[in-house]
Amino acid sequence: MTLAWYGHLKLQQMNISNSWPLIGVIVFSWAIAFFEYSLQVPANKIGFTGNGGPFSLMQLKVIQEVISLIVFTVIAGVLFQGEQLHWNHAAAFACLIAAVYFVFL
């Protein structure tokens, strides 16, 4: 979802999507999101304890959020090289690690 939500901003910076109407940007983003959802929905279905998987609903959500934030950090670092990490970002990542720890207790 990160690429679907923020990828069009990079295309705009590269002067590729400047003339696209808003509906074009939405369709582009949904095309990317469809691919991502087609992977995530089956993974959640397989991983959920109600379907024989090892994870509770809360655990699946925390895993998804952590993965999303890691992917966002990588995409922001690669595509938007002007974005820098600061001490408060590191503190937020430490809180995420704590969240994962506590949700898996």
Side-chain angles (χ1 to χ4, degrees), residues 26-88:
I26 292 169
V27 169
F28 172 78
S29 294
W30 271 100
I32 294 170
F34 176 78
F35 173 73
E36 293 177 356
Y37 270 122
S38 68
L39 298 175
Q40 185 170 344
V41 170
N44 283 337
K45 185 171 180 67
I46 293 166
F48 181 55
T49 54
N51 295 327
F55 302 114
S56 71
L57 186 62
M58 292 295 181
Q59 290 170 332
L60 284 170
K61 182 59 183 171
V62 169
I63 291 168
Q64 181 266 323
E65 290 296 334
V66 169
I67 290 170
S68 293
L69 289 169
I70 290 169
V71 169
F72 175 80
T73 302
V74 170
I75 287 175
V78 171
L79 294 182
F80 300 95
Q81 294 178 356
E83 296 290 324
Q84 297 180 4
L85 292 177
H86 300 286
W87 72 267
N88 56 329

Side-chain angles (χ1 to χ4, degrees), residues 5-6 8 11 18-19 23 32-33 44-46 53 64 76 83 93 98 102:
W5 289 342
Y6 302 105
H8 67 90
L11 293 178
N18 288 346
S19 62
I23 190 69
I32 294 170
N44 283 337
K45 185 171 180 67
I46 293 166
Q64 181 266 323
E83 296 290 324
F93 283 120
F102 286 118

Side-chain angles (χ1 to χ4, degrees), residues 7-21 24-25 28:
H8 67 90
L9 298 175
K10 183 62 178 177
L11 293 178
Q12 185 177 358
Q13 282 183 343
M14 297 169 58
N15 295 323
I16 293 173
S17 65
N18 288 346
S19 62
W20 293 6
V25 173
F28 172 78

